[in-house]
């Protein structure tokens, strides 16, 4: 019998699929990755995947020298990230920086795989407002400041000047040239969009999040366990003055045209990509959803149960080898992004000594 102090291990029954398949995770895992972290687009959840994977594999991150953001206005440079440890090169970048493929390429390896993410633009706009509470919107008097802001946006922002974070924010983070926000030149917008499409191997769409994550797993050739996620809750208390309706949505559609172009383009592309998958793709998505719920529930329980030291074991499937999740691993699942970056920064500074 095991000693009394040994941790309990919970067994998870296999989730059955239609037929046995050869494990498809035996190839070379992709370890050079750049994630274009878009504000308020579930990007912290995806970032956590890369942080946990790199931490486990002892990979080197291109980290901001302080805080959790490299820059919200400029791109990645050798000067705004922590130098890599001696005789090492960067493997992963997944912090905020405005995307510029050429600038990223000067810091990251040539074989880096680029990943993006998009969210339905009006939902993105609402989340942005509720979280950041931009003063130039919330300080507008009256019961409906957002309606006033959208009806008279020319009054509240200077054309050709600073691009506010509520205006085509996804396009801004993706590095669309500043002049396009004011000229709305459709030919140039399409030109940059096609370049972005060539530069990025996969754009995750939050409306099809689990399907996107499975496509990500297949692209990176990772074991399924590495893409299990927990939903990181970063909501603030809702402000009733920022509750929006159909009128605001129609105004926003007409105003934030670049974000809608980006979103619709990559949503359609993702749907086409899913349609081209073999039938086992949908079996994998269903299996993943079941495993992920059990994984997340266990971790939420484990990190709040300070008296127990429990593990949970998962059986093998066509997409993963058998694995065990520990309470310590669960802590990394729900750690705040800035705390995780601090942890990695301290680790890499020790490696540099």
């Amino acid at each position: 019998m095991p000693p009394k102090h040994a941790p309990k291990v919970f067994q998870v029954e296999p989730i059955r699929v239609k037929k046995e398949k050869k494990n498809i995770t035996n190839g070379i895992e992709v370890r050079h990755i750049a994630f274009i972290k878009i504000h308020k687009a579930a990007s912290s959840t995806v970032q956590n995947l890369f942080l946990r994977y790199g931490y486990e594999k002892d990979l080197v991150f291109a980290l901001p020298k302080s805080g959790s953001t490299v820059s919200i206005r400029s791109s990645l440079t050798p000067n705004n990230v922590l130098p890599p440890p001696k005789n090492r090169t960067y493997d992963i970048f997944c912090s905020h920086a405005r995307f510029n493929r050429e600038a990223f390429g000067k810091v990251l390896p040539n074989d880096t795989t680029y990943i993006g993410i998009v969210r339905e633009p009006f939902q993105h706009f609402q989340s942005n407002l509720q979280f950041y509470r931009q003063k130039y919107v919330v300080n507008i008097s009256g019961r409906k400041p957002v309606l006033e802001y959208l009806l008279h946006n020319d009054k509240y922002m200077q054309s050709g000047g600073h691009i506010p974070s509520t205006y085509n924010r996804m396009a801004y983070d993706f590095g669309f040239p500043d002049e396009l926000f004011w000229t709305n030149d459709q030919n140039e917008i399409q030109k940059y969009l096609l370049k972005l499409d060539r530069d990025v191997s996969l754009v995750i769409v939050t409306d099809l999040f689990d399907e996107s994550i499975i496509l990500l797993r297949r692209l990176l050739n990772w074991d399924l366990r590495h893409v299990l996620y927990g939903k990181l809750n970063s909501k603030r208390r809702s402000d009733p003055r920022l509750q929006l309706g159909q009128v605001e949505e129609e105004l926003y559609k007409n105003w934030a045209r670049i974000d809608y172009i980006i979103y619709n383009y990559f949503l359609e592309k993702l749907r086409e990509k899913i349609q081209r998958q073999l039938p086992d793709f949908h079996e994998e998505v269903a299996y993943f959803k079941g495993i992920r719920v059990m994984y997340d529930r266990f971790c939420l329980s484990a990190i709040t149960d300070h008296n127990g030291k429990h593990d949970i074991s998962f059986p093998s499937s066509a997409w993963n080898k058998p694995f065990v999740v520990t309470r310590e691993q669960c802590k990394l699942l729900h750690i705040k992004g800035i705390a995780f970056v601090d942890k990695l920064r301290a680790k890499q500074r020790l490696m540099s000594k």
Side-chain angles (χ1 to χ4, degrees):
M1 293 182 62
K4 292 182 179 180
H5 63 270
K8 296 179 181 178
V9 179
F10 292 92
Q11 300 290 335
V12 175
E13 290 297 319
I15 295 176
R16 299 192 182 282
V17 295
K18 290 181 181 179
K19 57 183 179 180
E20 290 297 320
K21 295 179 178 66
K22 183 179 179 182
N23 193 292
I24 58 175
T25 60
N26 293 325
I28 298 174
E29 296 177 358
V30 174
R31 296 190 173 190
H32 292 160
I33 300 158
F35 176 51
I36 305 164
K37 194 171 187 287
I38 305 297
H39 290 80
K40 304 313 298 172
S43 58
S44 293
T45 298
V46 178
Q47 179 195 41
N48 182 264
L49 297 180
F50 296 128
L51 294 177
R52 283 185 287 127
Y53 178 83
Y55 183 78
E56 178 184 320
K57 302 290 184 179
D58 199 29
L59 303 183
V60 174
F61 290 87
L63 297 171
K65 292 181 178 179
S66 61
S68 60
T69 298
V70 167
S71 178
I72 59 172
R73 293 198 174 96
S74 61
S75 192
L76 186 62
T77 75
N79 297 322
N80 60 17
V81 287
L82 198 69
K86 189 176 180 181
N87 299 322
R88 298 286 300 271
T89 57
Y90 296 121
D91 297 299
I92 297 176
F93 175 74
C94 57
S95 298
H96 278 303
R98 197 174 181 197
F99 183 59
N100 178 295
R101 176 63 181 81
E102 291 67 34
F104 274 51
K106 292 177 181 177
V107 178
L108 303 172
N110 293 333
D111 63 348
T112 295
T113 296
Y114 289 81
I115 309 295
I117 190 167
V118 293
R119 183 178 183 181
E120 194 282 321
F122 190 60
Q123 292 179 10
H124 182 257
F125 175 63
Q126 292 180 87
S127 179
N128 190 330
L129 282 173
Q130 289 286 359
F131 187 79
Y132 292 111
R133 311 281 171 90
Q134 289 88 347
K135 290 183 179 179
Y136 55 84
V137 178
V138 298
N139 286 352
I140 296 173
S141 61
R143 293 174 57 196
K144 295 188 174 183
V146 184
L147 180 60
E148 165 67 15
Y149 177 67
L150 293 173
L151 281 169
H152 306 289
N153 51 71
D154 55 333
K155 174 182 174 182
Y156 296 102
M157 68 180 193
Q158 180 183 356
S159 179
H162 169 67
I163 300 168
S165 64
T166 47
Y167 181 50
N168 289 305
R169 184 66 200 191
M170 290 189 290
Y172 187 85
D173 286 345
F174 273 124
F176 275 71
D178 288 4
E179 62 269 17
L180 297 184
F181 292 80
W182 312 114
T183 65
N184 201 30
D185 186 322
Q186 294 300 300
N187 288 332
E188 290 301 312
I189 290 171
Q190 289 295 328
K191 183 178 176 181
Y192 186 86
L193 179 62
L194 293 175
K195 180 183 182 301
L196 178 65
D197 188 19
R198 291 192 298 271
D199 290 339
V200 179
S201 297
L202 174 68
V203 174
I204 294 166
V205 179
T206 59
D207 305 70
L208 294 166
F209 195 71
D210 285 341
E211 291 84 354
S212 297
I213 293 298
I214 295 307
L215 288 173
L216 175 70
R217 186 204 72 75
R218 292 183 170 207
L219 174 67
L220 302 181
N221 202 35
W222 286 5
D223 190 280
L224 190 76
R225 72 184 179 88
H226 292 305
V227 295
L228 291 167
Y229 65 89
K231 293 183 179 179
L232 303 181
N233 189 352
S234 58
K235 291 182 180 179
R236 295 178 64 180
R237 180 177 295 177
S238 180
D239 183 340
R241 295 175 74 242
L242 301 179
Q243 297 300 315
L244 312 181
Q246 188 174 352
V247 174
E248 288 90 347
E249 183 171 5
E250 291 304 315
L251 287 168
Y252 190 72
K253 282 181 180 178
N254 188 54
W255 185 47
R257 293 177 180 175
I258 309 178
D259 270 8
Y260 277 95
I261 289 170
I262 296 168
Y263 171 76
N264 289 329
Y265 180 87
F266 285 113
L267 174 61
E268 184 60 28
K269 180 159 187 176
L270 186 78
R271 284 173 172 164
E272 291 174 356
K273 201 171 277 191
I274 290 170
Q275 286 180 349
R276 294 196 300 269
Q277 301 299 307
L278 296 173
D280 75 314
F281 173 80
H282 300 286
E283 293 179 12
E284 181 176 356
V285 171
Y287 178 82
F288 173 74
K289 287 180 177 181
I291 288 292
R292 199 203 70 76
V293 169
M294 288 186 282
Y295 172 70
D296 200 26
R297 284 177 180 170
F298 167 76
C299 279
L300 285 171
S301 174
I303 61 178
T304 56
D305 179 8
H306 300 291
N307 297 319
K309 293 183 178 180
H310 303 313
D311 300 333
I312 184 171
S313 65
F314 290 89
S316 63
S317 76
W319 310 286
N320 64 273
K321 299 178 176 67
F323 64 97
V324 174
V325 177
T326 68
R327 185 170 180 270
E328 292 305 309
Q329 289 170 328
C330 287
K331 289 179 181 179
L332 296 180
L333 179 69
H334 290 280
I335 190 173
K336 294 291 185 182
I338 189 167
F340 209 154
V341 170
D342 285 343
K343 184 181 185 75
L344 289 165
R345 191 160 38 226
K347 177 183 177 182
Q348 289 185 194
R349 281 179 170 148
L350 283 174
M351 292 168 63
S352 299
K353 290 183 178 180

